[in-house]
Amino acid sequence: MQDACARPVNYLRISVTDRCNLACIYCNPISPSPRLRHEDILRFEEILVIARAALEIGIRKIRITGGEPLVRKGIFPFLKKLGSLPGLERLAITTNGILLPSSLDRLQDAGVHQINISLDTLDPETFFRITGKDAFHEVWTGIEEALARKSFIIKLNAVALRNVNEKDFSALASLALNNNISVRFIEEMPIGHHHHADHRPVLVQEIQDSIGALGSLTPLPSDQLDGPARKFTFPGAKGEIGFIPALSRHFCHTCNRLRLTADGRLRPCLLSDISHDIKGPLRHGAGKKEIQNIFISCLRHKGAEHIFHPDSEGQVDTAMARIGG
């Protein structure tokens, strides 16, 4: 598949729930909207129908997100069915890590290739400030156990928050020194009217300056199924450092993604409220070809670039927990 700008699109992110067992300050809006009703959320059987149709027209990588996907009942049998679909080359999941220690066997059995874990700090007190829960040690245990298995591609996602976790950047980046892991720093995005007091984002150049003592960064090539991170390594490192400059340096020209929300809407861009209903037609009997046409229509509305920059006052109204990142 190609969008209107001739960019290849081979990556679908699917949110399976808007529920989460954390309350991160960059994810939850100031005035949260009511949680989706169960009947408003796509059933796993419906997601499999959509995924099968998408794989037939060019999707090769699927990432499962939330909310927190591991809190949804039935997630592991669903992942196993999803992982067995023809044409799927990489199955990934994004999690906050709280339930990871008890989930690794089932994730491995389901055929998950890649686990992205949200970790914004290595300090338990800062973790509590960001997430609202004293659960750093559970997350860290899950990371250590996942790394020990050597069965997954492991990536850590750290959202850069001014006056919150800036002091942690160097320690987080150092994890890539002795571990085969990718540590990715993400510029905070204007989504969902979140309540982080100082909305001025920490930009990638500031992050790079703060980890400069680790050594000079050497760029690494990306493969066709990668996400938006610009990848680097530094001297002696076993792992990688990644930067996602959503505001300071748009990566829109390389965007290869569509997003399916928990309530069944297909979004061509994270930083836009444009979406296409796919649940409604599906529940009214739409066949595979009609579903695929919705994907094609969505691609036509995938803009050349988003409108936000570091000084933007605007916001994407939909909360991140509902979009799935």
Side-chain angles (χ1 to χ4, degrees):
M1 290 191 295
Q2 286 191 338
D3 65 14
C5 300
R7 293 168 295 200
V9 175
N10 55 19
Y11 178 7
L12 178 63
R13 299 175 66 104
I14 300 174
S15 173
V16 297
T17 180
D18 64 336
R19 268 72 169 176
C20 190
N21 47 6
L22 294 181
C24 298
I25 58 177
Y26 50 77
C27 188
N28 283 277
I30 297 172
S31 301
S33 55
R35 294 299 186 193
L36 291 169
R37 301 177 303 168
H38 289 295
E39 57 265 35
D40 293 331
I41 294 176
L42 283 170
R43 297 186 291 270
F44 283 140
E45 294 80 7
E46 293 171 327
I47 297 174
L48 289 170
V49 169
I50 295 169
R52 189 177 290 108
L55 288 165
E56 288 189 8
I57 55 173
I59 292 298
R60 292 292 173 262
K61 175 181 177 180
I62 293 177
R63 174 177 301 283
I64 299 301
T65 68
E68 169 50 49
L70 297 181
V71 304
R72 180 162 174 182
K73 185 178 180 180
I75 186 67
F76 299 107
F78 160 70
L79 288 173
K80 192 161 188 174
K81 291 177 182 177
L82 182 63
S84 68
L85 292 180
L88 183 61
E89 297 178 13
R90 189 179 301 174
L91 176 59
I93 190 168
T94 294
T95 174
N96 60 35
I98 300 290
L99 299 175
L100 196 56
S102 62
S103 302
L104 287 169
D105 284 340
R106 286 175 288 181
L107 290 173
Q108 189 169 334
D109 180 63
V112 171
H113 305 111
Q114 179 179 318
I115 304 175
N116 285 31
I117 306 160
S118 298
L119 186 71
D120 307 304
T121 177
L122 295 178
D123 176 66
E125 291 186 7
T126 306
F127 184 94
F128 178 79
R129 178 182 174 188
I130 294 172
T131 67
K133 190 167 185 176
D134 183 14
F136 170 79
H137 296 291
E138 290 94 322
V139 175
W140 186 247
T141 296
I143 292 170
E144 288 184 317
E145 292 182 4
L147 284 170
R149 288 175 180 249
K150 300 181 180 179
S151 301
F152 306 103
I153 300 168
I154 303 294
K155 299 185 178 184
L156 302 184
N157 295 337
V159 177
L161 302 168
R162 191 169 300 282
N163 300 324
V164 178
N165 65 345
E166 291 166 290
K167 63 179 174 30
D168 299 301
F169 295 162
S170 185
L172 286 165
S174 296
L175 294 175
L177 184 60
N178 298 313
N179 300 286
N180 185 18
I181 197 169
S182 177
V183 180
R184 295 121 55 84
F185 295 96
I186 304 169
E187 291 178 349
E188 187 182 13
M189 299 178 223
I191 292 177
H193 299 275
H194 53 73
H195 54 69
H196 180 214
D198 187 344
H199 73 278
R200 187 165 59 93
V202 182
L203 303 181
V204 161
Q205 186 58 58
E206 296 175 79
I207 302 169
Q208 291 178 336
D209 291 344
S210 71
I211 66 173
L214 296 174
S216 58
L217 294 171
T218 302
L220 294 172
S222 297
D223 69 47
Q224 62 177 351
L225 294 181
D226 276 342
R230 297 166 57 209
K231 301 192 298 185
F232 297 83
T233 189
F234 55 91
K238 293 182 178 179
E240 302 174 357
I241 303 295
F243 301 99
I244 300 180
L247 300 179
S248 63
R249 182 175 175 180
H250 291 190
F251 48 77
C252 302
H253 66 287
T254 63
C255 185
N256 61 345
R257 294 168 297 291
L258 294 174
R259 291 169 172 82
L260 180 63
T261 65
D263 57 348
R265 300 194 68 86
L266 201 59
R267 296 176 67 107
C269 176
L270 173 62
L271 290 174
S272 167
D273 282 316
I274 294 173
S275 65
H276 297 245
D277 180 27
I278 200 167
K279 178 184 67 182
L282 181 61
R283 291 186 177 177
H284 283 90
K288 179 176 64 177
K289 190 64 178 178
E290 292 170 275
I291 292 169
Q292 291 172 339
N293 285 338
I294 294 173
F295 272 85
I296 300 303
S297 177
C298 187
L299 288 175
R300 296 192 188 105
H301 292 91
K302 192 169 174 63
E305 61 181 32
H306 65 73
I307 64 173
F308 296 103
H309 54 80
D311 298 320
S312 290
E313 294 295 332
Q315 295 274 336
V316 175
D317 287 331
T318 311
M320 182 72 85
R322 190 165 292 185
I323 300 172

